[in-house]
Amino acid sequence: MKKKAMALLMSAAMVASVLTGCGSGDSGSSQSSGSQGGQESSEATSDDGAAADDGAAADDGQAAADDGEYYTDEDGNKYKKFDDVQLKMLICWNGGFKTASDQYNNDVATAIREKIGVTVEFEGINMSETEKLNQMFATGDMPDMVNAPYWGGSAGETGVIKKGGNEGRLIDISGLVPNYPNIADAYEIGVISTKYLENDIEQEGGARYVLPTEVAGDVEDIALWAYGVFVRGDVPEALGIDEKSIKTSEDLLDFMEKARDYGFKDVNGNDCIVATTYHNGWSYQDYGASFDQKKLTSYSLGEDGKVVYDKLTENYVNKQLFFWKLVHDGILDKECFTQTDDRGKEKVGNGTALFSCAQYGVTIDATKQTGLYDEHPEMRYIPVGPLNYQDGSALVQLESEGRSGSPVIFFPTTCSNIDAALTWLDYVNSKEGSKLINYGFEGDTYEMNDQGQPRMTAELTERYAANQEQVNEELRERGIKYMAGRTYVAKKYMQWFGETGPFEADALDPYLVEYRKQRPAEIMPGYAIDALAPGFEGYEEFSQWAFDSEKENEYVQRAFFADTEEEARSIIEDYQEYLRTNDGGKMQEFLDYMTSVSTSRDDIVY
């Protein structure tokens, strides 16, 4: 993977200034340094991994230092040990966040505290992410750390977080992160894209207010989300249709119409709905995937050499009319655009919806939680297609060279102890720390295999295959598995453990394993053209209305519920006219600008 040297030298004065600004924390912990790199400390360790500073190494891996104690892990990495620092972390994702009922005393939290003296307790939300971020900044009631969406560009959450940083509400971590080697590679090109780094991560003066998370340390660790369309297994069987032969949205529509007219029942003998989604319509777009081109952005290069915005094309109109037809003809569940995740999972879990979408794992889990998966194996949802792109090529999980938007962690200036927060993140992203928070305890919840890799015990693996949620809940109470999901940085699990997560090698659902092979990740190298958009004069004000997803949803969902196709088309074209004419026709000026800069680099991709 292409690397970009990101190490930054930090003067003592800068350290003192930044760390003093975020508060001294409790228990009198020093904030003057983070963890030290493993290669630096490896020569000063004994055979059992304990530090040997001044010949005073302790048996438990603790080492005396002029400014306090350090913990040395099994790979020789050193971490400052704090005096019971307790931090709060907000997980700003609508739908909540499941944790152990006791986040301080569970086994994993206790083990981490014994090593580095830091405990992090998580809190979730059940409201719009953007709304929560705005509320947090408005009230000033902020935790020590926040994990939130940061998709870049004109995304609403991104704008709120950037504004907070530029107003001095967030800690600039650009000079701090390099001192924590297990998270320092979060900014390397290939882990994240050049576009993301230059346009969304780095702010005025080189400040960096966010730490990218859920990014892969290498291609093999790219998370495969397994999006698509899925059908109840007995439906193609009854209709005599090969679900794998469905390659276009038109094929899918025909399939759905036949399913609608057949008279299927759910597990309780009730009438079925044809197709649904999860929360707030997530992600109904999967049903119209064959309208899409194989590209990274919402722009194309027209035959006349001019840049075209997808939402102003006839193809965009036709795709929305396809969804109108799904709703109008009683195929797509009218409630799906406003329903909760639990409501969507209920419809899938009972087999009430014949077709599902979004991530395959979510659908499988919903049927396992209700018992449908085991009690009615003929009803297990199976993949449709997968569908093709507009040009007939197979759908893949298209990725830029490094993520161009991700969840992030940021630190409000009210953070009680930034050194402890970064040290905690550094530890849980180390090999030892990742093993602890994901697998638990050797000889108890996992054993080491012949390759020196952790594998959950046979007993847990067997039970996990039968009832995933029950085992997850049991492990969660001990602190195992839940911490990693919102805290991993440049993921290296395949390199370290030979699987992307616990149970993946031995107990991952075979349907999901096979489907991931059908929807692999594919890297599209190059500099995505939308990265050049912020150079347009007045871009910030322009983007607030031009790329407003809420405004778009107002139009398209109104179109979906129109009485006639003509009325639906008129509404969609009204949205296009709004884009073309608002602010004195600024959209055309913007597209002219995009055309002019499209030749400024020789690695532009769309």
Side-chain angles (χ1 to χ4, degrees):
M1 172 170 293
K2 181 178 179 182
K3 301 292 187 182
K4 180 178 180 180
M6 302 304 296
L8 303 175
L9 298 176
M10 181 173 62
S11 67
M14 180 179 179
V15 178
S17 173
V18 174
L19 295 179
T20 301
C22 73
S24 60
D26 49 10
S27 307
S29 301
S30 169
Q31 294 180 308
S32 61
S33 65
S35 59
Q36 304 300 312
Q39 61 186 26
E40 184 178 78
S41 61
S42 61
E43 294 180 358
T45 58
S46 60
D47 292 340
D48 64 359
D53 292 347
D54 298 324
D59 291 338
D60 63 357
Q62 305 300 335
D66 292 341
D67 56 349
E69 288 187 329
Y70 285 88
Y71 168 71
T72 304
D73 70 17
E74 61 190 26
D75 294 308
N77 298 301
K78 292 173 63 178
Y79 308 86
K80 169 79 80 58
K81 183 173 173 64
F82 296 83
D83 185 12
D84 195 18
V85 173
Q86 298 175 46
L87 303 171
K88 299 291 185 182
M89 183 173 182
L90 177 68
I91 306 299
C92 189
W93 295 83
N94 192 359
F97 183 70
K98 293 182 178 180
T99 68
S101 55
D102 187 339
Q103 294 194 60
Y104 184 82
N105 292 305
N106 68 68
D107 294 343
V108 170
T110 299
I112 295 174
R113 188 164 57 253
E114 288 173 351
K115 298 174 190 296
I116 62 172
V118 183
T119 307
V120 175
E121 296 185 58
F122 302 86
E123 177 187 359
I125 66 168
N126 283 292
M127 62 191 296
S128 157
E129 293 90 351
T130 303
E131 183 181 352
K132 177 62 178 179
L133 290 168
N134 277 320
Q135 179 189 86
M136 185 181 69
F137 283 113
T139 62
D141 182 14
M142 296 186 282
D144 300 288
M145 312 156 68
V146 180
N147 176 287
Y150 196 78
W151 306 127
S154 59
E157 304 92 348
T158 303
V160 175
I161 297 169
K162 282 184 177 180
K163 185 171 183 286
N166 292 331
E167 290 178 348
R169 310 289 296 279
L170 305 181
I171 296 174
D172 174 8
I173 57 175
S174 61
L176 302 178
V177 171
N179 292 281
Y180 303 86
N182 298 314
I183 59 175
D185 52 355
Y187 299 118
E188 290 183 354
I189 302 306
V191 174
I192 60 173
S193 69
T194 303
K195 161 193 165 183
Y196 192 32
L197 179 65
E198 293 181 357
N199 292 282
D200 295 304
I201 301 294
E202 290 191 338
Q203 300 301 302
E204 186 176 352
R208 295 178 182 176
Y209 299 108
V210 300
L211 179 72
T213 63
E214 297 187 43
V215 290
D218 215 328
V219 174
E220 61 186 348
D221 273 304
I222 291 176
L224 295 178
W225 304 115
Y227 276 88
V229 176
F230 314 101
V231 63
R232 216 175 73 182
D234 59 328
V235 173
E237 177 84 16
L239 298 176
I241 294 174
D242 178 7
E243 72 282 354
K244 294 183 177 62
S245 70
I246 307 300
K247 296 299 181 183
T248 69
S249 295
E250 288 75 14
D251 293 340
L252 179 62
L253 175 60
D254 182 66
F255 188 11
M256 289 174 155
E257 288 173 341
K258 289 181 170 63
R260 176 197 59 193
D261 299 337
Y262 187 85
F264 288 99
K265 303 292 183 181
D266 67 12
V267 293
N268 299 312
N270 298 318
D271 290 339
C272 290
I273 57 178
V274 183
T276 196
T277 68
Y278 297 96
H279 67 280
N280 299 329
W282 181 62
S283 61
Y284 73 87
Q285 301 280 356
D286 294 318
Y287 295 123
S290 72
F291 286 88
D292 298 337
Q293 295 176 292
K294 187 176 182 179
K295 57 192 182 74
L296 292 172
T297 76
S298 297
Y299 303 95
S300 301
L301 189 64
E303 293 181 359
D304 57 0
K306 295 182 178 179
V307 171
V308 178
Y309 183 42
D310 288 355
K311 292 175 184 178
L312 295 176
T313 65
E314 181 65 15
N315 183 66
Y316 176 80
V317 176
N318 292 334
K319 184 175 182 179
Q320 310 318 308
L321 290 178
F322 173 79
F323 297 127
W324 168 83
K325 185 168 182 60
L326 292 184
V327 173
H328 182 265
D329 291 358
I331 292 172
L332 185 56
D333 174 22
K334 291 184 177 182
E335 184 186 54
C336 76
F337 300 103
T338 55
Q339 72 187 6
T340 64
D341 241 18
D342 286 342
R343 179 62 173 148
K345 290 176 180 177
E346 177 186 350
K347 293 172 182 177
V348 172
N350 290 323
T352 305
L354 300 180
F355 291 82
S356 173
C357 62
Q359 296 172 1
Y360 195 17
V362 176
T363 290
I364 291 173
D365 289 349
T367 61
K368 287 186 174 180
Q369 289 173 26
T370 60
L372 179 146
Y373 187 92
D374 292 320
E375 296 169 17
H376 297 276
E378 75 284 357
M379 288 187 178
R380 292 176 185 171
Y381 289 79
I382 56 179
V384 173
L387 302 183
N388 289 336
Y389 288 107
Q390 190 181 100
D391 65 2
S393 61
L395 282 177
V396 295
Q397 182 175 305
L398 200 60
E399 300 278 350
S400 60
E401 189 177 16
R403 286 196 74 169
S404 290
S406 72
V408 296
I409 294 173
F410 62 85
F411 308 86
T413 51
T414 53
C415 173
S416 62
N417 196 319
I418 185 64
D419 192 12
L422 290 170
T423 298
W424 185 89
L425 283 169
D426 194 43
Y427 178 71
V428 299
N429 277 281
S430 69
K431 185 178 181 180
E432 178 186 289
S434 294
K435 186 166 55 179
L436 173 61
I437 65 176
N438 281 289
Y439 293 90
F441 304 91
E442 185 175 2
D444 180 0
T445 54
Y446 77 87
E447 304 286 354
M448 300 299 284
N449 66 14
D450 294 341
Q451 288 75 48
Q453 300 163 331
R455 290 293 179 268
M456 300 305 263
T457 64
E459 182 265 339
L460 277 174
T461 299
E462 182 178 355
R463 290 201 290 117
Y464 184 87
N467 192 328
Q468 179 175 325
E469 183 51 38
Q470 182 182 54
V471 174
N472 279 339
E473 183 176 354
E474 176 184 319
L475 294 173
R476 189 162 53 239
E477 282 301 298
R478 298 189 61 183
I480 302 169
K481 287 190 71 178
Y482 74 84
M483 295 184 190
R486 290 300 181 194
T487 59
Y488 74 80
V489 180
K491 191 175 183 181
K492 304 174 184 68
Y493 296 172
M494 282 297 294
Q495 302 169 47
W496 288 339
F497 310 136
E499 60 180 354
T500 58
F503 301 111
E504 294 278 313
D506 301 321
L508 191 65
D509 186 271
Y511 287 81
L512 180 56
V513 170
E514 181 58 31
Y515 185 62
R516 283 180 173 176
K517 295 176 183 176
Q518 299 174 42
R519 289 291 303 270
E522 182 178 319
I523 304 296
M524 179 176 282
Y527 193 82
I529 190 170
D530 56 358
L532 300 172
F536 178 63
E537 185 176 355
Y539 177 78
E540 185 173 346
E541 296 77 14
F542 167 76
S543 65
Q544 288 177 1
W545 63 263
F547 310 124
D548 182 355
S549 59
E550 291 185 7
K551 172 67 73 173
E552 179 186 14
N553 283 336
E554 288 177 12
Y555 277 95
V556 298
Q557 290 188 24
R558 187 155 51 90
F560 296 164
F561 289 89
D563 291 331
T564 66
E565 182 174 345
E566 290 73 21
E567 182 184 352
R569 172 177 280 275
S570 177
I571 294 170
I572 298 163
E573 290 177 344
D574 282 348
Y575 173 61
Q576 291 182 321
E577 187 65 10
Y578 162 79
L579 292 178
R580 290 191 186 97
T581 61
N582 195 47
D583 195 15
K586 186 74 75 174
M587 175 61 77
Q588 189 56 54
E589 292 180 34
F590 170 71
L591 292 176
D592 289 342
Y593 163 80
M594 292 295 281
T595 297
S596 69
V597 296
S598 65
T599 58
S600 62
R601 303 174 59 115
D602 59 8
D603 59 347
I604 293 292
V605 293
Y606 288 85

